[in-house]
């Protein structure tokens, strides 16, 4: 299974202090990667670094906002000087604002686009410089069901994640010649802090998602580990510009009536 080994590889996971980012970082660590975790919250980063170290993963952490081009450039340079080249970048850091388009402030819309779409653009370019020199690299953008589908209240998030799907394809097009593979993961509905507000028992949306997901459950963050290791490893060297949906089957179906099992 050496094909999936990440030994001697360094993986950066933005926003890797909790939720899906932490689950993917754990998968990368289990496959042998050294971890570099970024966050904007020192307390969250400190706690996450303790967690990763307790699992035996060599891990370092850096505090900066992926939308701040100057800070991002300074930190990527510092990381590559202090820790070493970034072989794998997981653009996971993201926010969501759930509000109807007619009610949402434009600055809130812009902030979601900035974090969820411009941030991955900034980070991809920064790490790609070294990847181009080394003629090797893996960039994995964390997309969403909203890269393909809309729903009430998430116009900014859907616009960003739809754009992130196409950014993935475009960077794959431009950078394949340098042996850089740029792909995405589209998580379905997962049990995380980000979805906690819409997962509470009795919330109609909770029942809707369980019924809309052929697998009949919310995703467990660990369900993402295999896909992120695949896209970070030699096993995916001829995969480029693809979004792998880990969604329990949601995108395969129009769904079924609530009374149909
Ligand atoms: C929502 C959810 C979704 C999921 C995920 C689906 O409000 O609909 O938060 O956005 O988090 O992105 O792929």
């Amino acid at each position: 299974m050496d094909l999936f080994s990440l030994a001697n590889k360094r993986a950066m996971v933005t926003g890797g202090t909790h939720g899906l980012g932490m689950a993917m970082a754990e998968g990368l660590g289990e496959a042998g990667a050294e971890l570099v975790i970024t966050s904007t919250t020192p307390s969250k980063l400190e706690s996450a670094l303790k967690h990763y170290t307790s699992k035996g993963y060599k891990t370092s952490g850096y505090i900066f906002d992926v939308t701040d081009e100057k800070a991002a450039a300074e930190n990527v340079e510092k990381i590559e000087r202090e820790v070493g080249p970034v072989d794998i970048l997981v653009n996971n850091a993201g926010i969501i604002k759930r509000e109807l388009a007619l009610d949402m402030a434009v600055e809130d819309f812009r902030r979601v686009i900035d974090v969820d779409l411009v941030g991955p653009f900034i980070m991809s370019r920064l790490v790609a410089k070294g990847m181009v020199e080394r003629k090797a690299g893996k960039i994995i953008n964390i997309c969403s069901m909203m890269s393909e589908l809309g729903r009430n209240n998430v116009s900014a998030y859907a616009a960003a994640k739809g754009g992130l799907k196409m950014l993935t394809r475009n960077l794959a097009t431009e950078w394949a010649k340098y042996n850089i593979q740029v792909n995405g993961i589209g998580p379905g509905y997962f049990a995380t802090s980000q979805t906690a507000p819409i997962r509470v028992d009795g919330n109609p949306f909770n029942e809707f998602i369980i019924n809309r997901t052929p697998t009949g459950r919310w995703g467990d963050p660990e369900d993402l580990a295999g896909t992120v290791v695949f896209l970070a490893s030699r096993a995916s060297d001829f995969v480029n510009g693809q979004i792998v949906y880990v969604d329990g089957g949601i995108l395969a179906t129009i769904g079924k009536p609530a009374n149909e099992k």
Side-chain angles (χ1 to χ4, degrees):
M1 296 305 278
D2 178 56
L3 207 50
F4 296 89
S5 170
L6 300 181
N8 305 312
K9 296 294 183 185
R10 195 164 295 108
M12 179 188 289
V13 182
T14 63
T17 58
H18 61 284
L20 301 186
M22 176 169 274
M24 288 185 286
E26 287 178 336
L28 296 167
E30 278 303 310
E34 176 182 351
L35 302 177
V36 179
I37 305 298
T38 84
S39 176
T40 55
T41 315
S43 59
K44 280 186 181 177
L45 184 61
E46 186 184 347
S47 164
L49 292 181
K50 285 189 184 125
H51 172 77
Y52 292 125
T53 307
S54 74
K55 306 275 279 189
Y57 310 143
K58 187 177 178 189
T59 310
S60 50
Y62 291 80
I63 294 285
F64 65 95
D65 183 336
V66 295
T67 66
D68 178 339
E69 190 177 3
K70 183 173 180 293
E74 287 167 356
N75 277 275
V76 168
E77 189 279 327
K78 187 178 177 193
I79 289 161
E80 300 214 314
R81 175 167 33 87
E82 291 179 350
V83 182
V86 176
D87 304 297
I88 302 153
L89 169 66
V90 180
N91 280 311
N92 165 75
I95 61 173
I96 191 167
K97 175 81 175 168
R98 296 187 183 94
E99 195 167 13
L100 289 172
L102 280 176
D103 302 333
M104 185 183 285
V106 173
E107 59 264 27
D108 287 338
F109 184 94
R110 276 204 183 97
R111 180 64 183 158
V112 174
I113 298 291
D114 212 15
V115 177
D116 296 7
L117 180 56
V118 180
F121 177 69
I122 290 171
M123 291 305 296
S124 298
R125 285 167 13 119
L126 288 170
V127 302
K129 288 190 182 103
M131 291 176 174
V132 167
E133 286 168 14
R134 296 187 297 275
K135 293 289 184 287
K138 298 281 186 180
I139 295 174
I140 302 162
N141 293 321
I142 305 310
C143 297
S144 163
M145 291 289 94
M146 274 69 227
S147 297
E148 301 293 344
L149 302 170
R151 84 172 185 84
N152 284 356
N153 294 316
V154 292
S155 58
Y157 188 82
K161 293 298 188 179
L164 187 56
K165 172 180 73 174
M166 289 314 301
L167 177 64
T168 300
R169 290 179 178 162
N170 220 82
L171 296 183
T173 301
E174 291 187 24
W175 295 346
K177 59 177 169 285
Y178 304 118
N179 188 36
I180 298 171
Q181 290 81 51
V182 186
N183 291 290
I185 295 176
Y189 280 83
F190 278 71
T192 65
S193 56
Q194 190 255 40
T195 56
I198 56 176
R199 226 165 358 99
V200 291
D201 279 345
N203 180 332
F205 194 83
N206 183 50
E207 290 311 308
F208 165 70
I209 287 298
I210 290 171
N211 190 54
R212 182 71 177 75
T213 306
T215 307
R217 66 174 173 87
W218 286 80
D220 180 318
E222 289 178 357
D223 289 323
L224 286 174
T227 302
V228 75
V229 169
F230 165 65
L231 290 176
S233 70
R234 287 195 304 114
S236 60
D237 279 1
F238 201 55
V239 178
N240 229 332
Q242 299 301 313
I243 312 299
V244 181
Y245 288 98
V246 185
D247 67 353
I250 289 178
L251 290 179
T253 177
I254 62 166
K256 62 185 185 300
N259 63 349
E260 193 177 293
K261 288 300 164 209

